[in-house]
Amino acid sequence: MELTTVWFIAIAALWTGYFVLEGFDFGVGMLLRVLGRNEPERRAVITTIGPVWDGNEVWLIVAGGATFAAFPEWYATLFSGFYLPLFAILVTLILRGVALEYRGKRDELWWRGRMDVLITIGSVVPAVLWGITFANLVRGVPLDNSFEYVGSLGDLLSPFALLGGLTFAAVFVAHGAIFLALRTTDDLRRRANALASRAGLIAAVLAIAFLWWAQALRGETASIIVAIVAVVAFAAGLVANLRRREGWAFLGTAVAIGLAVVSLFAAMFPAVMPSTLDPQSTLTTVNAASTPYTLKVLTIIAGIFLPLVILYQSWTYWVFRKRITVDPVPLSSEAPSL
C-alpha cells in the first residue's frame, strides 16, 4: 500500500476518533441547560465530561497537524476556502474551553449561567459547522486549475451541506444524551435516557437522509455497505437505550458515528477535495501529498507515539468510569456590583 493511501486512512481514523469522542462532548454541552434543571444537576452534567473533554480535542489537533504534514496542499486549500467556518469553530471551541474551566471558579449563579451559555454555543456551533464542512468535502467545491478555492461563502451553504450540519448536531445530541444516561444516576439518568430515545429518532431520520444523499453523490459499493452498517448500529443503540442498557447503547452510537465518518472518507477516496468545476482540478491523495521521504518519517513517528496517546486516553476513561451523583451545591445569587 502506498504511503499516500496509508496517511489518508490515518487521517480518516483521526477524524473518526475525534467525532466519536468529541461528539458526546458536544452533545453534553448542548444538553447542559436542557437536562440540568438546577445548579446541582448542571454541575453533575459538566462533571461527566470534566476529566476527558480536553483529551478528546487532542484528536482534532493531531488530525489537523497530520493533514498539514502529510497533505499540505489539502490543508492549504481547505483552510483558505473554509476560512470563515473554521475560524468560527476555533473561536467557539476556545470560548467553550474557557467556560468549562472557569465555570466553577465563582459561586454566583449569574456567573455560572453565563458560562453555561458559552458552553452551549461552543457545542452547537462547532457541531453544525463540522457537518457543513464535511458535507462540502464529499459534495465537492469550486477549485481552479491551481487547486485554489474560487467560490464564496454561499457556495458552502448548499441544501446538502445544511443537512449535514443538522445531522451532525442531532446525532451528537443523541450520543451525548446516551452518554449522560450512562454516567449519571436517579432522575437525571432517567430523563437523559428518555431524551436520548426522542432525539435518537430525529437523528436517525436525518442520518439516513444525509448518508443516502452522500452515497448517491459519490459513493461506491464499499462505502454504501459501511453507511448501511452505520445506520444499523445506530438503530441497535437506540433499541439498547430503550431497554436501559446504556453501555450497549453508547457502544452502538459510537460505532455508528465512526462508521458514518468512515463511509464519507471511503466515498471521497482517492479525492481529498473534489472540484465541482473541472475533474482535473480535483485534489487527490497523490497531488496533495508531501514528498515520499516526509511521509516515511511521519509514519515512523506516528507508529511510536500514537499507540502511547491511545493507551493514555484509554486509561483516563477507565479511571473516571464511575457514575456521577447529583449533590447539593452552596451558591450565591448575588449580582455583580457596579
Side-chain angles (χ1 to χ4, degrees):
M1 185 183 296
E2 295 181 354
L3 285 179
T4 53
T5 303
V6 169
W7 274 97
F8 180 85
I9 294 173
I11 289 171
L14 289 169
W15 280 109
T16 299
Y18 173 67
F19 285 128
V20 169
L21 298 176
E22 189 83 310
F24 71 76
D25 269 359
F26 287 147
V28 169
M30 286 186 269
L31 295 174
L32 174 59
R33 303 287 291 195
V34 176
L35 287 174
R37 294 178 175 176
N38 49 50
E39 177 54 30
E41 289 187 348
R42 288 191 283 271
R43 192 182 73 163
V45 168
I46 291 295
T47 303
T48 61
I49 62 172
V52 298
W53 70 268
D54 48 355
N56 294 342
E57 292 191 350
V58 170
W59 290 79
L60 172 61
I61 297 171
V62 177
T67 303
F68 174 78
F71 299 103
E73 190 70 42
W74 183 12
Y75 182 93
T77 303
L78 176 65
F79 276 78
S80 60
F82 293 67
Y83 179 80
L84 287 177
L86 292 179
F87 181 74
I89 289 173
L90 176 62
V91 170
T92 51
L93 285 178
I94 291 173
L95 292 175
R96 175 174 175 266
V98 170
L100 285 168
E101 290 294 334
Y102 282 86
R103 185 182 188 277
K105 300 302 182 182
R106 299 180 64 171
D107 292 334
E108 293 88 354
L109 285 173
W110 66 268
W111 170 263
R112 296 191 176 187
R114 291 179 183 179
M115 295 301 102
D116 291 347
V117 172
L118 292 180
I119 292 170
T120 303
I121 293 173
S123 300
V124 173
V125 173
V128 172
L129 292 181
W130 280 130
I132 290 174
T133 298
F134 272 80
N136 277 292
L137 289 179
V138 174
R139 173 178 173 268
V141 292
L143 301 179
D144 62 16
N145 293 331
S146 300
F147 307 118
E148 295 290 335
Y149 179 79
V150 292
S152 64
L153 179 61
D155 292 318
L156 302 179
L157 302 177
S158 66
F160 176 65
L162 295 176
L163 176 61
L166 291 176
T167 300
F168 271 51
V171 170
F172 290 164
V173 166
H175 193 40
I178 289 175
F179 178 77
L180 285 173
L182 176 65
R183 293 295 315 282
T184 56
T185 60
D186 303 326
D187 185 55
L188 184 56
R189 174 188 177 186
R190 288 190 291 271
R191 284 188 279 117
N193 182 278
L195 179 61
S197 295
R198 297 193 298 271
L201 290 176
I202 298 173
V205 172
L206 291 172
I208 291 171
F210 175 69
L211 290 176
W212 176 84
W213 198 342
Q215 299 305 317
L217 285 172
R218 208 166 294 278
E220 296 183 358
T221 302
S223 62
I224 292 172
I225 292 174
V226 175
I228 292 173
V229 176
V231 172
V232 172
F234 195 79
L238 295 182
V239 171
N241 181 71
L242 285 174
R243 298 182 177 180
R244 301 292 297 277
R245 302 293 297 273
E246 289 98 348
W248 287 107
F250 183 74
L251 178 63
T253 55
V255 170
I257 292 172
L259 291 178
V261 176
V262 168
S263 75
L264 297 180
F265 276 96
M268 291 167 54
F269 184 81
V272 293
M273 285 192 74
S275 174
T276 57
L277 298 180
D278 182 0
Q280 298 300 319
S281 302
T282 291
L283 269 175
T284 66
T285 56
V286 175
N287 58 25
S290 293
T291 64
Y293 179 76
T294 301
L295 294 178
K296 183 178 179 179
V297 172
L298 287 173
T299 303
I300 295 172
I301 294 173
I304 295 172
F305 290 102
L306 188 57
L308 297 177
V309 173
I310 294 174
L311 284 173
Y312 171 75
Q313 194 160 26
S314 300
W315 175 81
T316 303
Y317 276 92
W318 176 255
V319 169
F320 296 101
R321 67 189 183 278
K322 293 184 178 180
R323 291 183 180 270
I324 304 299
T325 58
V326 178
D327 299 318
V329 183
L331 290 170
S332 171
S333 60
E334 294 179 1
S337 57
L338 298 178

